[in-house]
Structure formats: structure tokens, C-alpha cells
Amino acid sequence: MNFWDYLGSRHQQLLTDAFQHASAVFQCMVVATVIGVVIGVVAYRSEWAGSLATTTTSTILTIPSLAMIGLLIPIVGLGVAPTVIALTLYGLLPIVRNSIVGLRGVDPSLVDAAKGIGMSRTARLFRVELPLAWPPILTGIRVATQMLMGIAAIAAYASGPGLGNEIFRGIASLGSKNALNQVLAGTLGIIVLALLFDAAYVLIGRLTIPRGIRV
Amino acid sequence: MSETTTTTNGASTGAAGAADGTGAGAATGATIELENLTKRYPGSPNPAVDEVNMEIKAGELVIFVGPSGCGKSTTLKMINRLIEPTSGRIRIGGEDVTDMDPVKLRRKVGYAIQSSGLFPHMTVAQNIALVPKMVGWSKSRIKSRVEEMLDLVGLDPGEFRGRYPRQLSGGQQQRVGVARALAADPPVLLMDEPFGAVDPITRDHLQDELIRLQHELHKTIVFVTHDFDEAIKLGDRIAVLRERSHIAQFDTPEAILTNPADDFVSGFVGAGAALKRLNLTRVRDVEVRDYPTVTVDDPLQDIFNKLRSGNTNEILLLDKRGRPYKWLRRGDLMRARGSLARAGTLVHDTVTRDATLRDALEAVLTDNAGRVAVTGRRGAYEGVVDMETLMNSVHELLEADRLDAVEHQHELQEQRAEHTHREQEGADATGEERA
Ligand SMILES: Nc1ncnc2c1ncn2[C@@H]1O[C@H](COP(=O)(O)OP(=O)(O)OP(=O)(O)O)[C@@H](O)[C@H]1O
Ligand SMILES: [Mg+2]
């Protein structure tokens, strides 16, 4: 059976896996974005809170994802839970870091001007600082998404959803006639998804980055 | 003393400006009083601002000038409490604002800074609308206000409303910055080196605009600069500050130029005080003489006769609209052989009555015959200023300034003497007379 025949015969399963893969990544990204930006907003003003937040999140990143999921299984069991937790944690790092960098990078004279014309702290954050820090934050989100695409494949190890199942099945039956096709289909699926997501981010950037600061 | 204001600002329309420009009920200035204002930054042994006492009158444009790091910005930012004073009081319009909610305070105090401080992600209109929005103006009122402010700072609303700051030149950004600061019609305007980052020519334009604007609006403006020439040009009064914001001298530009309080101030005034004095007087304040003129439509014979009979060996030829065109000498006409086209020298430079004497002197010096034509509406000829007039005027001005200063000093001495006298008598129970 060549690759195309394989795709033809298994497209139903592949589509389901791809959809679940994308949906898991998307949902975890939403959660990671919210948490990451909040952490950034809380931490960026203080030197030590900022470094604490970035060190903690980058420490998480040094844990191999397989190990992380393995560690989570005894605590939360198999299935969706370890996948979601692991993905969210990994997604945090680029978002927290870029939020802090972005918010700290806002020109101090603009913050001074915002204060000077009588903007309250909240108004300053939402009307000036976050909009100006948004491009780097969005970059963080984009990087995180790419990373999660790959990590989500590992989730199949914990019986999680997604294209990882295809890859793991292939690896488990290495030598059988469909093994290579399975690994290939899973991998290509992930790449295609990653490209689609990236295109979506370009669009989101167009729509949400104010025209005055678009590069 | 405030009479000199009118001279400084060119026109002498006085209070007439209040009604035009900004619609009904525009807020004019409020007094600002600083009392023992002190700022001590954590970790530095000396205060950055040490016990400043200052009274700024309503509608006055006061300049803080002094060397870098002397505490100008710190003092200024304490007025809208961007920097919280360590001790002392601030009163605006008689109201003590030292403990007021700073956000509320700042909405009543316009603030414009170097490099404009415009928000790059908002359009010009959005930037200007910020404060009116925050204080709850209606949409339609904000919209018309934005137009009005753009007009006021000399930008065409149709063209600039929808632009982003990066689509503006530095000077235009600065104008929008001023428009934003004035949008909600605050009685007080604080400006921290607002023109510091633009080229000299644009800066000159912006300064002229500010003078014009202040003529219309009569705000109380505190303006920080370290350019003494800017201070002279703009200020009703100048506070020369030395380290820790100690006031070395707080007086009119004329008084500071002609009678600096001490070596520090004269050092700051720099060389050429007399030349700088020329910036404070306008052509309208000196004698503009009549000069024999002819127009291009006059018959040649008349021109000849006029040249021969006049007591000058030169006449001014005006074009069809009465604008200075050429200087004609007797010899020129001989050589021209009956045609005006090639005769005489073209008029290069003219000045208006609003020009400073410095501009006039510049023009006179570059003209090899030592005079410059003064023009009025649409460039039409009004008279001539020459070297001699300028010299005499400057002498008179300097002499008058000197007398003023001496008198002023006498007054101060008398006051002081009286004060000490009263103190000695133990009658100084109030002790508040400066506040
Ligand atoms: N946030 C701060 N923390 C500690 N010291 C400060 C702070 N801001 C200013 N200073 C110090 O206070 C003094 C006055 O500063 P300020 O900014 O008021 O000077 P300035 O007169 O505006 O100078 P420039 O003309 O350079 O703008 C300086 O010696 C400066 O080092
Ligand atoms: Mg300063």
C-alpha cells in the first residue's frame, strides 16, 4: 500500500485526529494566553517578580515533555487531563516572557504622558501599555503554538487525543507494512496544522495590531 | 511689570483674544502657588528640589530655565504630582491640590512633553480626544473639539485627523501634543522642553505659534527649557534655577537681561545680553520712517524729478500692488537708459511690524546700504527702518531697562528694610506676608 492509498483508506480517522489535535492545541493556547498575560501584567513592574516568572516558566520548559506527561499521569490519570495541563504549562513560557518584555519595552515617556494627561492605572494598562505590547505578545503566542503542535503529539503516550496516536501506532508496529505510512501521516498532519495556525496568526495580527504601530 | 508682556508677545490686543478661537466659556488661567516645595529622591543625600516658593499669576507664561539636572522637570512634575512632593504645598487657583486625587488633578492640568508623547497606536483625533473622553464629554462635542484644536495649532483637520503619529513630522507631532494637552480646556498647561527635539527653524515656528495661542487663550503656562533664548522669547517671567531648584532670579526677561541678580544668572544669560534684548522689542515699537517712493506705473520723468529733488540719493520703487520692489539710485537711471527693467537693486529682505528688532538688524546688516523696508498687510510698503534708528532705539531701551532695574532694586531694598524694621520691633506676628 503506498502512502496515498493509505491516506485514502484512513482519511476519516486522520481527520478526526487532526481535528482533535488542533482543538487541544487551540484550547490550551487560549488558557495559556490568558494566564500568561495576567502573569506578565502582574510581574512586569517588579524586578524580582519578573525574573521569578521567567525563570519558573523556563524551568518548566527544560523538563522533557514525555517526562512531564509521565509525571502527571500518576497525579491526574490518563487521557485529556495530563495533555491539557502539560500543553498549557509549556505554552506559558513564551507568552509570559514576551508579555513582560513587551510591557517593559513600552517607551517610558509614553507612560509618563499617559499618567500626565490623567489616565488611571487601569486605563493606562488597557489603552496604552497592552496595545503597545501586543505585537511581541502575539509573537509569543505564535511561538508557543508552534511548540505545542509538536508537544501535543507526545500526548498520545498518555492516551491523549490527536495525531500523536498515529505516530505512536506506527512506531509501535515498526516493520509492519503500514508503520512508515502512519508515522508519515501523523508528522505531515502536524506540519500542515502548524502552517494553518501560522496563517491564522498572520490574519489575527492584521486585525488586532493597530495600524499606527504595524511594521 | 506685566505690561512688558504685550511687548514680548508682539501684538497689543490685550484681553481681546479671550473671546475668539475657543468658543464660549474657555477657561483662562489659574494661579499656581508653590510653598516650600521639596523633593527628596530615595537614596540621595540632597533633595533634588529644595524648599521652592513661587507664585505664578493667572494667565502668565513662566519659564523654568537652568542647567541640566537642576531640578526643573522635578519641580514641574510636582505641580501635576507626576512626582509626589516630599513636603510642601501646591495650590492651583487657590485650591490646595497637594492631597487631591492625582488622576483628577491631572485632567485639569494640561501636560506636553518633549518628543510629543503621542500614542503611536492612536490616530491624531483619538489622541486629542483622550482627555475630553475621560472627563465624559459627549461624542459630538468631542468631535467638534478635535477639529477646533487642530485648527488652533495650525493643522488642517481634514488632512490630519485620521493620521497616525508616525505619519507626521516632528513639528506636527509637537503641535498635536499641544492640542492634546489643551483639549479639555485646562486652566493650567505644563510643558517640559516641548520643543527640545525639533530643528531650530521648526522650533522657531512652534514658539511663534505658542505665543499666538497664548494670546488667544490666556492659560497659565509653566514651560521648562534649558535654552535661554527660548526663555526670553516666550516668557512673561523667567525663573532662573540653580542646583536643587533654588531660584537664582525670577523676573521679566528684560530685567534678567539688563540686571542679572548674580554671576550665576549672568553666566546663564551668556554673552550678548544687549543683542538678546533686541529679541524683546518689535519693529512696531520703534520709529518707522517714511521714505520717498515711486511705483512702476509712474512715468520715468516723474521718477527722475523725485530722485533729483529728494534729499536722499535713493528711492524705493514699488510694484503694482504697492510692495517694495527695487532700490533706485540716481546713477542707476542714467545707466538704465530709459528702462526700469534693468535699473536698481532688487529688494531682498523686508520685515513686518511684528518682527523683532533682531530680525530687523539682521536685515539691515546684510543690506549694503543699511536699511530695510517695513511691510504691512499683503506685503505692502509701510516705511523703512535704518541703522541709525535701530542704534538709537537700542540705546534708549537699554537705558530705560537700567533705570527700571535700579528702581526695582530700590523697591526691594526698601521692602526688605521695612521688613527688618518690623521684625526688630517684634511686630511681625503674621510672618505670612510672602504666602
Ligand atoms: N527618579 C529619580 N530618582 C533619583 N534621582 C532622580 C530621579 N529623577 C531625577 N533625579 C535627580 O534629580 C535631579 C533633578 O532632576 P531633573 O530631572 O528635575 O533635572 P532637570 O533640571 O529637568 O534636568 P534636564 O535639563 O537634564 O532635564 C537630578 O540630579 C537627577 O539626577
Ligand atoms: Mg528635565
Side-chain angles (χ1 to χ4, degrees), chain B residues 148-166:
Chain B
E148 190 185 333
M149 293 320 292
L150 281 173
D151 267 336
L152 184 72
V153 297
L155 295 175
D156 173 31
E159 190 181 345
F160 288 97
R161 197 192 298 125
R163 288 212 199 170
Y164 285 94
R166 68 168 180 194

Side-chain angles (χ1 to χ4, degrees), chain A residues 24-205:
Chain A
V25 169
F26 175 75
Q27 290 177 40
C28 293
M29 276 314 300
V30 171
V31 178
T33 302
V34 172
I35 299 177
V37 172
V38 168
I39 293 177
V41 164
V42 171
Y44 82 100
R45 268 183 239 261
S46 125
E47 195 59 49
W48 68 265
S51 18
L52 182 72
T54 38
T55 334
T56 319
T57 42
S58 46
T59 312
I60 295 174
L61 199 69
T62 60
I63 307 172
S65 44
L66 198 59
M68 162 81 86
I69 291 171
L71 287 172
L72 283 171
I73 293 172
I75 306 171
V76 295
L78 289 171
V80 174
T83 313
V84 168
I85 295 175
L87 289 186
T88 308
L89 284 178
Y90 282 112
L92 278 180
L93 168 76
I95 300 176
V96 168
R97 195 189 45 207
N98 281 28
S99 301
I100 292 178
V101 170
L103 287 166
R104 283 187 179 164
V106 173
D107 182 352
S109 75
L110 291 183
V111 180
D112 192 60
K115 264 191 220 167
I117 63 169
M119 284 179 140
S120 66
R121 202 172 160 141
T122 343
R124 234 148 59 212
L125 184 67
F126 285 101
R127 313 270 327 264
V128 177
E129 292 175 291
L130 279 177
L132 290 176
W134 180 238
I137 295 177
L138 192 63
T139 308
I141 296 174
R142 207 166 148 180
V143 170
T145 310
Q146 302 296 326
M147 203 169 70
L148 293 202
M149 278 294 167
I151 294 176
I154 313 287
Y157 172 75
S159 317
L163 289 163
N165 287 306
E166 203 73 17
I167 300 174
F168 271 95
R169 243 178 286 152
I171 293 173
S173 59
L174 224 53
S176 74
K177 61 179 163 73
N178 265 340
L180 195 60
N181 285 338
Q182 283 174 326
V183 175
L184 209 56
T187 313
L188 283 176
I190 289 173
I191 293 174
V192 170
L193 279 185
L195 291 175
L196 287 176
F197 266 76
D198 224 37
Y201 280 122
V202 173
L203 193 68
I204 291 175

Side-chain angles (χ1 to χ4, degrees), chain B residues 67-74 76-77 114 192-193 224-226:
Chain B
S68 188
C70 72
K72 304 180 292 290
S73 298
T74 306
L76 185 85
K77 286 179 177 176
Q114 183 168 2
D192 195 347
E193 300 193 34
V224 167
T225 179
H226 45 231

